[in-house]
Amino acid sequence: MLLLSSALFTTARFPLAVSARLPNPTTTTRLLLFAGLPSSSPLRAFCPRARPSPATCAAFSSTMAAADNPLLVADFDFPPFDRVEPSHVRPGIRELLTRLEGELEELEKGVDPTWGKLVEPLERITDRLEVIWGMVDHLKAVKDSADLRAAVEEVQPDKVKFQLRLGQSKPIYEAFKAIRNSSDWDSLSDARKRIVEAQIKESVLSGVALEDEQREKFNQIEQELEKLTQKFSENVLDATKKFEKLITDKKEIEGLPATALGLAAQTAVSKGHENATAENGPWVITLDAPSYIPVMQHAQNRALREEVYRAYLTRASSGELDNTNIISQILKLRLEKAKLLGYKNYAEVSMAQKMATVERVEELLEKLRAASWGHAVKDMEDLKIFLKDSGSPEANDLTHWDLTFWSERLRESKYDINEEELRPYFALPKVMDGLFTLAHKLFGVTVEPADGLAPVWHSDVKFYCVKDSSNSPVAYFYLILIQDHLKSGGAWMNVTPPVGEKPSLMTFREVETVFHEFGHALQHMLTKQDEGFVAGIRGVEWDAVELPSQFMENWCYHKNTLLSIAKHYETGETLPEEIYAKLVAAKNFRAGTFSWAPGGYAAGYYSYKWAEVLSADAFSAFEDAGLDNEKAIEETGRRFRDTVLALGGGKSPLEVFVSFRGREPSPEPLLRHNGLLPVAA
């Protein structure tokens, strides 16, 4: 079982979701890769090869004296994950907040609208809170326990209170406005201008302009929203873990592939059925994605699909884990917050922090709707015809728990391809080697194992070093390969576990997931920004953050790249070209249907499609250069690195894109890649 766990452990806001979920400024989410600090980071104290600046060391040493509490250790090279326990959280966070409050008071007393006396000390304050809280938050995601939950729940209001105090600091707000209105404004770099403008906007959205009763009401709303969103997530997690379906008759799970049966038996063993085997059972089905999705895709037992589907969709909707009232309260409080800030609704608040405008989003969605609607209708018609031709009794009663199952059968029939049968060609070590080789070819970096260099929270965690062309370390990242270690949501994989000499084996979709998540890490690790507030993913608008990740997925369909990693783990045979052709042909299966994304992420779910337009257009630059032209690919890759990956939030996403592509983005490459453009007569 493979799961890449994650959070980008750098100066970025913790954690920045970049996998199956988008970053959210108020709720914690998980990523898939956990990166070390880039060398340009003001907190590069985590990198033993690149020592921190005297100011950074002084800030750590003077305010965080060495103590038994690992959360209060001064100047560590890497986060002490192996030492942090739930008992450290309450005293550690409270002491940290006390010290930061003192530093904030000193900053406000002598506030001066200059970079050295305003931005740099402010960055030290915010970075220390984000790094230390990020350690706790990450451990809560990968080592969740009742004690850790209780500790976090107790100190979270204090953390939110300090963040509100910081965001509503009028001296700091006025100092940033003074910089914005000064005669020196035009001489500032683009990155510094972006920081100033972002700080002013964040202060306004944090309620700095509110007075007395309105500010008190706003702060109450923020505290309550933090508590409710945390409880919402915990309820979903607990409800997911609560469901267990014990199966003893193999007929009930006919159709499930060997990997899914193995997982179900492994789960049964963990639940006390110590003699369970993949062949003879018993088997336990859960609502975790590695268990749920194979059931919906492959279980011939319609009643089982219905039971699991209903359980999944109704998680946390009844009993002690019921989120119904919590959802209502969140919606109500978000509306109240929006109106206090002068907006009509919360969607406007959400869009205030995005690259796109409401008008641009509506324009994009309409283009996608117009291009995909006919294809989506045909998708459903084709599925119904397939069911009738198959003689299925479900043909006249097709419902929600049937769609995924029959779509998979249609895909297999249409393209003569079975992902489970391709696992032997995608051994995890070979996939990772191929990914790192691609990163070297495109971006000139080398990825090497660095196990033992940094403390880890579990022995299964792998640690890597990223080096530049001069062989100097520029970043580090963590990779966790066991699904059970990720307690919260995020991207997942159900890779067959290694047995003896047999490596972990992946499906092609899981290969795409690895490439996707590594794209997020690359943007953070290869940043060239010297300003910490806009380094890496930090400062990048929500709806642009998926560009590098979705861009990397395209390489899974690049013939030379895929065939270089698709080697049979036993024979060394390369994936046959006819199977590669089938994978490419199947890429756009039901593309019209999948163009219709559900809502979510506080009016931010469109961000995936928005970023997909950017990523498809970015990849089209490589197509224009010639995908078989190695020199052109390398040159274009370096340009992508020096713009999209290097500039971070130092320029607007549109400027970054134009600096790479030479023009504004077009939806045409996305529609072309998805087979949604009209076919010429």
Side-chain angles (χ1 to χ4, degrees), residues 37-326:
L37 291 169
S39 59
S40 62
S41 166
L43 289 183
R44 59 182 182 270
F46 292 135
C47 178
R49 304 286 184 88
R51 302 308 302 167
S53 65
T56 301
C57 282
F60 268 90
S61 301
S62 64
T63 62
M64 304 187 75
D68 292 336
N69 193 321
L71 296 178
L72 298 175
V73 172
D75 190 21
F76 45 71
D77 285 332
F78 295 102
F81 287 121
D82 58 335
R83 295 178 51 207
V84 178
E85 300 292 339
S87 60
H88 296 132
V89 174
R90 292 179 181 87
I93 295 299
R94 283 171 176 158
E95 176 63 18
L96 172 68
L97 292 174
T98 297
R99 295 174 179 181
L100 295 181
E101 176 66 33
E103 292 184 31
L104 177 57
E105 289 178 358
E106 288 299 313
L107 173 59
E108 289 178 321
K109 287 178 184 177
V111 69
D112 185 24
T114 62
W115 212 258
K117 293 185 179 180
L118 172 63
V119 183
E120 291 175 6
L122 177 63
E123 189 175 341
R124 286 195 292 269
I125 292 171
T126 57
D127 282 348
R128 277 207 310 288
L129 176 59
E130 289 169 357
V131 167
I132 302 305
W133 183 263
M135 284 169 45
V136 173
D137 185 60
H138 177 74
L139 289 172
K140 184 175 181 295
V142 297
K143 294 179 66 175
D144 190 32
S145 67
D147 288 343
L148 186 54
R149 275 193 188 187
V152 170
E153 184 176 340
E154 192 170 319
V155 297
Q156 189 165 268
D158 298 327
K159 188 264 296 187
V160 175
K161 182 179 180 181
F162 178 77
Q163 289 176 316
L164 288 168
R165 160 88 170 81
L166 184 63
Q168 295 172 356
S169 170
K170 288 199 172 181
I172 292 176
Y173 173 61
E174 294 298 335
F176 273 112
K177 287 206 300 182
I179 292 178
R180 177 66 182 86
N181 297 325
S182 72
S183 58
D184 295 331
W185 175 253
D186 290 338
S187 65
L188 292 183
S189 67
D190 288 343
R192 291 192 170 188
K193 287 179 179 178
R194 289 261 298 170
I195 289 171
V196 171
E197 290 171 340
Q199 289 293 326
I200 292 172
K201 179 185 289 186
E202 287 180 16
S203 292
V204 172
L205 293 176
S206 295
V208 71
L210 302 178
E211 300 289 349
D212 304 327
E213 291 183 5
Q214 282 194 325
R215 177 180 290 198
E216 183 178 348
K217 178 64 175 176
F218 181 89
N219 290 351
Q220 289 175 352
I221 289 173
E222 288 290 84
Q223 286 283 8
E224 190 64 17
L225 280 174
E226 185 85 4
K227 183 169 65 176
L228 288 169
T229 52
Q230 183 74 23
K231 184 62 176 174
F232 176 92
S233 299
E234 290 176 353
N235 283 350
V236 172
L237 175 61
D238 292 344
T240 301
K241 299 298 182 185
K242 186 177 180 180
F243 178 89
E244 295 175 12
K245 173 72 174 178
L246 177 65
I247 297 175
T248 56
D249 185 351
K250 195 170 186 177
K251 291 182 180 179
E252 291 188 38
I253 51 173
E254 285 185 352
L256 285 189
T259 52
L261 291 173
L263 171 61
Q266 179 182 320
T267 304
V269 170
S270 71
K271 303 297 182 182
H273 303 276
E274 47 190 55
N275 296 320
T277 65
E279 180 63 28
N280 300 313
W283 305 269
V284 171
I285 302 298
T286 71
L287 298 182
D288 289 321
S291 179
Y292 169 76
I293 292 180
V295 169
M296 301 312 299
Q297 287 181 327
H298 301 291
Q300 296 175 12
N301 184 342
R302 193 186 194 196
L304 175 63
R305 297 201 308 267
E306 178 180 359
E307 180 181 356
V308 173
Y309 178 87
R310 288 185 181 277
Y312 188 83
L313 258 67
T314 58
R315 288 173 299 162
S317 62
S318 62
E320 61 181 11
L321 300 176
D322 191 357
N323 271 338
T324 305
N325 187 51
I326 290 177

Side-chain angles (χ1 to χ4, degrees), residues 594-613:
F594 295 132
S595 293
W596 292 80
Y601 296 136
Y605 207 95
Y606 80 89
S607 298
Y608 275 106
K609 279 299 173 187
W610 185 266
E612 202 174 345
V613 168

Side-chain angles (χ1 to χ4, degrees), residues 231-518:
K231 184 62 176 174
F232 176 92
S233 299
E234 290 176 353
N235 283 350
V236 172
L237 175 61
D238 292 344
T240 301
K241 299 298 182 185
K242 186 177 180 180
F243 178 89
E244 295 175 12
K245 173 72 174 178
L246 177 65
I247 297 175
T248 56
D249 185 351
K250 195 170 186 177
K251 291 182 180 179
E252 291 188 38
I253 51 173
E254 285 185 352
L256 285 189
T259 52
L261 291 173
L263 171 61
Q266 179 182 320
T267 304
V269 170
S270 71
K271 303 297 182 182
H273 303 276
E274 47 190 55
N275 296 320
T277 65
E279 180 63 28
N280 300 313
W283 305 269
V284 171
I285 302 298
T286 71
L287 298 182
D288 289 321
S291 179
Y292 169 76
I293 292 180
V295 169
M296 301 312 299
Q297 287 181 327
H298 301 291
Q300 296 175 12
N301 184 342
R302 193 186 194 196
L304 175 63
R305 297 201 308 267
E306 178 180 359
E307 180 181 356
V308 173
Y309 178 87
R310 288 185 181 277
Y312 188 83
L313 258 67
T314 58
R315 288 173 299 162
S317 62
S318 62
E320 61 181 11
L321 300 176
D322 191 357
N323 271 338
T324 305
N325 187 51
I326 290 177
I327 293 172
S328 297
Q329 291 182 68
I330 289 174
L331 292 174
K332 175 177 175 291
L333 290 172
R334 282 179 172 176
L335 179 59
E336 288 184 31
K337 173 182 175 178
K339 291 186 174 180
L340 281 172
L341 292 174
Y343 294 94
K344 295 178 182 178
N345 51 61
Y346 191 76
E348 290 186 355
V349 178
S350 176
M351 292 303 297
Q353 305 167 74
K354 306 294 194 300
M355 168 189 178
T357 62
V358 172
E359 292 74 23
R360 290 291 301 276
V361 171
E362 290 178 342
E363 179 185 348
L364 169 65
L365 294 180
E366 175 55 26
K367 285 183 179 179
L368 292 176
R369 186 206 65 77
S372 63
W373 177 256
H375 294 271
V377 171
K378 188 175 186 302
D379 287 343
M380 184 57 70
E381 292 174 349
D382 289 345
L383 191 60
K384 291 178 178 179
I385 292 171
F386 177 72
L387 261 73
K388 289 180 180 179
D389 291 345
S390 302
S392 170
E394 300 164 22
N396 297 318
D397 185 29
L398 194 64
T399 190
H400 301 291
W401 46 86
D402 300 322
L403 293 177
T404 302
F405 174 80
W406 284 107
S407 293
E408 194 67 14
R409 304 290 78 73
L410 175 57
R411 193 175 74 92
E412 291 171 353
S413 172
K414 187 173 183 179
Y415 300 104
D416 188 25
I417 193 169
N418 184 310
E419 285 209 355
E420 289 294 322
E421 294 176 359
L422 298 183
R423 282 185 185 270
Y425 288 98
F426 297 114
L428 174 63
K430 191 68 177 176
V431 170
M432 298 308 295
D433 286 346
L435 175 58
F436 297 155
T437 298
L438 177 65
H440 179 73
K441 180 174 74 172
L442 294 178
F443 312 126
V445 296
T446 302
V447 181
E448 298 177 354
D451 292 324
L453 184 61
V456 294
W457 58 94
H458 192 279
S459 59
D460 291 319
V461 177
K462 304 298 182 184
F463 193 62
Y464 292 90
C465 177
V466 180
K467 295 182 177 181
D468 61 18
S469 57
S470 66
N471 206 37
S472 299
V474 295
Y476 298 86
F477 66 90
Y478 301 78
L479 181 69
I480 183 159
L481 307 175
I482 304 296
Q483 189 268 346
D484 289 343
H485 301 327
L486 191 68
K487 306 302 181 182
S488 66
W492 59 273
M493 296 185 185
N494 182 21
V495 176
T496 60
V499 179
E501 297 299 316
K502 181 180 178 180
S504 296
L505 303 177
M506 310 169 70
T507 67
F508 179 70
R509 295 182 198 186
E510 290 163 351
V511 174
E512 289 182 282
T513 299
V514 171
F515 275 61
H516 177 106
E517 301 310 330
F518 195 63

